[in-house]
């Protein structure tokens, strides 16, 4: 590699939860000279900002942030960052309000890197605003960790498209939670646990959202599919309402749709065990297992999140463990055998690595 000629990239981080905290410690642990300079950290109540670089270490950043009396003002941040030589805004929240600000950063020449799915999977208007603002300000936005966490899914797709391969179909298990639930519930052998008890245990282990309905409704998978579809030129405008335009099967029973407490939800889920058991029995009779998958079928123009049956010899049946994700790319070049990417699709360490790999592309 040639010696560095550019100034370090100024990094402003919003969100210091599971992923944010891990990212900060990965950034602060890089060997020196680091290509990055951390200039700002914010949560919803606290902020610190130092254009010359914050004086923090992996041990001190949290107390520095906690003891700050400065009020966060995200609306002012695009201007503050735009005067720095090279700057990137990293959004580690799941907030729609923060996502709505990306065009402001991009217009002012500030790059955006994020694991937050909200901006890229929402309305066509916001997505178009992001495309336009990025052109205006010649800043880039990167979204690797929005699909498959740290797994190299978005970049792989982008490289295929850019190099002239034709995507036929992308098919995969995109939700770590759904992966765990069906890996446990739907096996080739009879006598496994009831659906409700798998969900209860998943919740106790912290694999689900506090309300498991937020996983079982399929929206997270639909959002990831919207991001993949929009990264394929012929589908860039195929989902006018973003993820809500994706045909999505919800596994939340209608009768529980308005149960707002997560605990009440898991307490009542056993009422529906016979329905799930029936689906599982049908699959077993066909020599198959159930998996909740996402499909982007480019040839047919179909984007859907659904519960499907796969033969017990299929990789979705044989090779998944824990909360793994698996993604199969069927393309003109990868045919008849697809390219397969598999591994942990959630967790702070791997998600933060996905964010870091985007930052390194900008450094
Ligand atoms: N965890 C994973 O395995 C994983 C995998 C892939 C993608 N992701 C994505 O990564 C993102 C972060 O996930 P996480 O698990 O780290 O979440 P988290 O632990 O809940 O942390 C969220 C952070 O965002 C801050 N925040 C929320 N709203 C804000 C606002 N309006 N302004 C400023 N700060 C705000 C919170 O600050 P306060 O504490 O002050 O509210 C908190 O520091 C999400 O978009 C998630 O979908 C996570
Ligand atoms: C994700 O980011 C890549 C750049 O790495 C971009 O080409 C693609 O259009 C983006 N997709 C979405 C949906 O934002």
């Amino acid at each position: 590699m040639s010696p560095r000629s550019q100034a370090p990239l100024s990094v402003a981080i919003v969100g210091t939860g599971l992923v944010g905290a891990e990212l900060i410690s990965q950034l602060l642990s890089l060997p020196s000279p680091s290509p990055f300079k951390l200039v700002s950290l914010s949560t919803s109540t606290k902020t610190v900002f130092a254009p010359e670089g914050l004086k923090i270490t992996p041990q001190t950043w949290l107390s520095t942030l906690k003891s700050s009396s400065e009020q966060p003002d995200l609306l002012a941040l695009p201007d503050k960052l735009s005067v720095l030589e090279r700057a990137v805004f990293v959004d580690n929240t799941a907030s729609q309000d923060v996502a709505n600000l990306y065009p402001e950063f991009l217009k002012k020449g500030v790059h955006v890197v994020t694991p937050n799915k909200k901006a890229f999977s929402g309305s066509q208007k916001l997505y178009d605003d992001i495309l336009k603002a990025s052109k205006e300000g010649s800043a880039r936005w990167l979204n690797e960790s929005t699909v498959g966490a740290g797994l190299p899914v978005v970049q792989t797709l982008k490289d295929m498209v850019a190099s002239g391969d034709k995507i036929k179909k992308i098919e995969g298990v995109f939700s770590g939670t759904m992966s765990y639930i069906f890996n446990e519930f739907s096996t080739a052998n009879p006598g496994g646990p009831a659906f409700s008890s798998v969900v209860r245990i998943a919740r106790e282990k912290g694999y689900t959202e506090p309300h498991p309905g937020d996983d079982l409704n399929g929206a997270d998978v639909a959002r990831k599919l919207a991001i993949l579809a929009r990264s394929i030129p012929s589908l860039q405008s195929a989902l006018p309402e973003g993820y809500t335009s994706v045909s999505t099967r919800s596994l939340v029973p209608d009768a529980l749709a308005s149960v707002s407490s997560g605990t009440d939800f898991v307490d009542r889920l056993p009422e529906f065990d016979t329905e799930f058991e029936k689906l599982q029995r049908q699959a077993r009779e066909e020599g198959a297992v159930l998996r909740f998958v996402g499909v982007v079928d480019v040839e047919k123009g179909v984007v859907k999140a659904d519960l499907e049956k796969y033969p017990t010899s299929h990789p979705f049946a044989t090779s998944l463990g824990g909360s793994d994700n698996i993604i199969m790319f069927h393309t003109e070049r990868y045919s008849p055998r697809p390219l397969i990417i598999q591994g942990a699709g959630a967790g702070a360490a791997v998600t933060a690595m996905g964010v870091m790999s985007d930052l390194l592309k900008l450094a």
Side-chain angles (χ1 to χ4, degrees):
M1 279 204 329
S2 58
R4 298 193 48 78
S5 52
Q6 302 199 82
L9 185 64
S10 295
V11 181
I13 292 182
V14 175
T16 62
L18 291 173
V19 175
E22 172 68 22
L23 176 69
I24 293 165
S25 90
Q26 288 186 14
L27 273 172
L28 293 172
S29 309
L30 286 179
S32 96
S34 169
F36 305 111
K37 184 170 77 175
L38 257 173
V39 295
S40 175
L41 303 177
S42 317
T43 64
S44 53
T45 54
K46 298 275 175 187
T47 192
V48 283
F49 183 80
E52 69 286 357
L54 294 163
K55 305 276 174 292
I56 50 174
T57 69
Q59 289 72 39
T60 62
W61 69 265
L62 188 56
S63 55
T64 304
L65 180 60
K66 277 191 172 154
S67 60
S68 166
S69 52
E70 216 180 312
Q71 289 298 309
D73 181 4
L74 283 188
L75 293 175
L77 199 55
D79 275 330
K80 281 164 116 180
L81 293 178
S82 69
V83 301
L84 305 178
E85 199 178 328
R86 304 164 63 234
V88 55
F89 174 70
V90 183
D91 171 17
N92 296 307
T93 75
S95 157
Q96 182 70 53
D97 293 343
V98 177
N100 291 344
L101 293 174
Y102 298 172
E104 297 310 312
F105 287 96
L106 293 166
K107 258 185 240 168
K108 302 210 153 104
V110 178
H111 306 297
V112 173
V113 167
T114 185
N116 180 357
K117 293 174 279 289
K118 297 270 161 72
F120 312 128
S121 61
S123 74
Q124 189 74 30
K125 163 93 172 65
L126 177 56
Y127 183 60
D128 287 344
D129 283 352
I130 290 171
L131 287 171
K132 195 164 145 254
S134 148
K135 285 200 189 105
E136 255 173 57
S138 64
R140 294 169 67 191
W141 84 97
L142 294 161
N143 48 28
E144 182 59 73
S145 44
T146 55
V147 182
L151 299 176
V153 177
V154 174
Q155 184 65 41
T156 301
L157 173 59
K158 214 189 149 195
D159 287 345
M160 284 172 163
V161 170
S163 68
D165 199 355
K166 292 239 160 19
I167 313 297
K168 295 179 178 172
K169 186 163 100 169
I170 307 172
E171 183 177 21
V173 173
F174 291 98
S175 154
T177 312
M178 290 285 209
S179 180
Y180 173 85
I181 289 172
F182 284 96
N183 295 343
E184 295 290 312
F185 173 64
S186 187
T187 59
N189 308 316
F195 187 77
S196 63
S197 79
V198 174
V199 173
R200 177 182 293 276
I201 291 167
R203 182 170 186 251
E204 282 164 9
K205 289 187 169 174
Y207 292 172
T208 70
E209 296 292 331
H211 192 313
D214 293 338
D215 295 296
L216 293 173
N217 65 17
D220 171 72
V221 175
R223 283 190 181 277
K224 291 166 178 166
L225 294 175
I227 292 169
L228 292 178
R230 281 176 170 168
S231 305
I232 299 171
S234 66
L235 296 180
Q236 206 165 47
S237 309
L239 302 168
E241 304 302 324
Y243 80 102
T244 55
S245 301
V246 172
S247 145
T248 306
R249 159 112 152 226
S250 171
L251 299 184
V252 174
D254 286 343
L256 301 188
S258 56
V259 176
S260 58
S261 138
T263 306
D264 293 349
F265 181 86
V266 288
D267 284 347
R268 289 198 48 197
L269 202 54
E271 295 166 31
F272 304 90
D273 276 338
T274 46
E275 280 179 38
F276 284 102
E277 185 47 41
K278 192 170 147 215
L279 293 171
Q280 162 61 10
R281 201 169 48 241
Q282 282 165 355
R284 190 178 295 127
E285 280 163 12
E286 293 172 30
V289 297
L290 300 170
R291 294 292 180 259
F292 194 89
V293 295
V295 177
V296 179
D297 192 327
V298 183
E299 290 178 325
K300 295 195 184 125
V302 171
V303 185
K304 63 168 183 178
D306 205 348
L307 191 62
E308 302 274 2
K309 288 177 262 192
Y310 289 88
T312 49
S313 58
H314 190 278
F316 292 3
T318 57
S319 64
L320 294 177
S323 50
D324 277 357
N325 282 185
I326 187 166
I327 296 99
M328 265 186 179
F329 291 91
H330 301 266
T331 75
E332 206 165 79
R333 291 178 189 147
Y334 285 98
S335 176
R337 293 171 57 71
L339 173 76
I340 302 178
I341 297 173
Q342 183 200 332
V350 293
T351 307
M353 185 207 69
V355 177
M356 272 285 264
S357 77
D358 278 347
L359 287 173
L360 288 164
K361 287 170 202 151
L362 298 172

